Structure formats: C-alpha cells, structure tokens
Amino acid sequence: MSHLWQQNHNPITPETLKSLGRYDFPDPATIDPDGIGIVALGGDLASETLISAYAQGLFPWFNEDEPIAWWCPEPRCVMVPAEYIPSKSLRRQAKKERWQLTLNQAFDEVIHACSLPRSNGLPEGEHTWIHQEMIDAYGKLHAQGFAHSIEVWDETNTLIGGLYGLKLGGIYFGESMFHRASNASKMAFWGLMRLCEQSQVALVDCQLPNEHLMSLGATTLPRADFLHQLDSLIVSGAEHWHSDSHQPLAVSLLDTAHPWQSGK
C-alpha cells in the first residue's frame, strides 16, 4: 500500500483513499446527527479498511470480543503542532535529562506498552481497546509505512515512553501513549509536535478530549470543521516518514530550531 505515495503521474486524491476499502462508511452528520460519536459497526481491520476509515474521519474503538465500532466524535480533539508550547517544567527537565527520542525504531514495543493496564488514574479497563486484533492491524500499517511510533529511551537505552499513530499526508492521527518514567510520554508528545512542524504535518488528531490532552494544549473542533479540513490534509505534500528518515534526537535539543535531523 505504500506505493500510493510513489505514483508521480497520478496524484492521490481524497476519493482514492476513501475508496480503498470494500465498505461504504456512512456520513457521520447523517447517521449521527446528535453527535453521539459512533457511526458504524462491523467490517474488519484490514489495512485498506483502516486507511479508508481514517480518510473519512473515522477510527476503530471497541473492546475485545465486541463488534468493531467506528467512531467520529463531536467535537474532535486536535492539536496544531505549530501552536504547541511545552510547559516550563518540561523544558527544564529536557535540558537536564540524557534521554533520546527515536522514530519508528520500536513500534511493536510501543504499541504493546500502550496496551497494558494503566496506573495513572485512568478508568479501569481503559487499556482493553488495544487488544491483539488492534495490535496486529496497526503492526501491518507500520510495515506498510502508514503507522509510526516515537520512542523515548533513557541513558541506559531502556524504553521509558512513547506513542504511536497513523499518518496520512499532512495529518497525524494519534492513537495512544505510555510512560515508565515521569513525563516520558510528554517528551514523546513534544517530539511529535516538533517532527510534525518540521515535516509540514499541520494537524494532529487526538480524537477524544480528556484532561491530560487538554493540559498539553489540545483544543476541540466541531466535527464538521474537522471533516472539512480532512480532505486537503490527507493529500498534502507533507514529508514522508520511514524507518530511517530521522536520526535519534537528544531531548535536550527539543527546544532548538529544527531539532530533528534527516537520517542517513
């Protein structure tokens, strides 16, 4: 599927991406006029289905052994990378830590870590939606060049935090993050914001608002506004990310100009 971005003579259109799967997803405004958020049940998690769904503003969110549920919440939680401002305390910590950020170096480890039960006050069972079926599906998207992870490593080269999500053109659809050291997930998020800004990724979709995301500077958009922007974002000329596209980054450099350097 990564060949989609290599068709120089046939530019990718929103319709191309939306029609990849074999399912016709309903219009969220028509099927869910009250903004409850769930717009469809069933289907599968094939790569084509997922790309088609995300291109239409939908994402899967369901517990194991339940039908696949497709969501398009109202409102939509988003972050504009160019407007992200890290806290003063996070800036101070970054300057003194000897941690490093990497891109796409431990996707499997990150998604598995994100699937584990949380101990940070999130509701019991919050982790259950990242079950094996989801792990397998996003692992395939990663192998195809669509799903990406950012990892945080300490000075002993131990994975202490990270996040993963899906990138289409100029939008990154964030899925989940984790930490094993204080503020490690926030460092990963800051790294994502800087990488997106450098790569012409104009918007990060955070899906559903929560206290943690809002504390990081996320905001909300009416669903109609989000979907209106989506068509142009998914086919924008943003830089493509691959496994060796960016060198490891010391977190102490996050606050400098263009911190992420191109890979070899």
Side-chain angles (χ1 to χ4, degrees), residues 90-98 187 190 251-253 255:
L90 192 65
R91 279 189 159 112
R92 288 194 296 268
Q93 183 178 358
K95 289 179 181 178
K96 69 179 183 180
E97 297 287 6
R98 291 192 294 162
M187 292 290 184
W190 187 5
V251 297
S252 59
L253 298 176
D255 218 6

Side-chain angles (χ1 to χ4, degrees), residues 180-230:
R180 295 171 179 156
S182 180
N183 291 327
S185 61
K186 292 182 180 179
M187 292 290 184
F189 192 78
W190 187 5
L192 173 66
M193 293 299 105
R194 299 307 309 275
L195 179 60
C196 287
E197 188 179 6
Q198 286 186 223
S199 307
Q200 295 79 52
V201 175
L203 196 68
V204 171
D205 173 32
C206 301
Q207 299 178 347
L208 294 160
N210 60 44
E211 184 177 350
H212 178 62
L213 289 170
M214 303 307 279
S215 72
L216 295 177
T219 186
T220 57
L221 276 179
R223 182 170 63 187
D225 291 353
F226 174 79
L227 295 176
H228 179 71
Q229 294 183 35
L230 192 57

Side-chain angles (χ1 to χ4, degrees), residues 228-241:
H228 179 71
Q229 294 183 35
L230 192 57
D231 276 359
S232 59
L233 287 171
I234 60 178
V235 294
S236 77
E239 178 184 338
H240 181 60
W241 300 348

